[in-house]
Amino acid sequence: MNQPQTFEGAQVWDLVGRLGGQLRASQQTILGWDMGAALAMAQALGVNGLVAMELLPEIEAIMVKRVNEQIGGLDGR
């Protein structure tokens, strides 16, 4: 259903799976990823930086909402 449909999309999706340690948080609320670290990882992995910058913010917004709902953060209070 939500499968990447391009090679670049698959690369970004792989990158997303590696960003778990790059979370910005405040108390019990996830704020997002450290985008500087995310882009450095993208470059190290050979991911197109333009594609990463187009896709990561949209994926990040969904991740933040879902994780905060699960932990009772911003949207789950």
Side-chain angles (χ1 to χ4, degrees), residues 1-76:
M1 181 168 146
N2 293 320
Q3 297 279 337
Q5 296 186 14
T6 64
F7 174 74
E8 292 83 2
Q11 284 185 308
V12 171
W13 193 245
D14 177 65
L15 173 63
V16 166
R18 299 169 187 258
L19 291 175
Q22 304 305 322
L23 291 174
R24 294 179 296 123
S26 175
Q27 297 179 17
Q28 293 185 356
T29 301
I30 300 300
L31 303 174
W33 289 311
D34 177 340
M35 281 296 178
L39 291 177
M41 288 177 69
Q43 183 176 19
L45 293 168
V47 176
N48 181 310
L50 179 60
V51 173
M53 281 311 303
E54 286 289 328
L55 297 177
L56 284 177
E58 292 189 36
I59 298 169
E60 177 190 43
I62 295 166
M63 177 277 298
V64 166
K65 181 178 181 193
R66 298 288 188 246
V67 171
N68 283 325
E69 286 172 350
Q70 290 177 357
I71 64 174
L74 290 174
D75 295 328

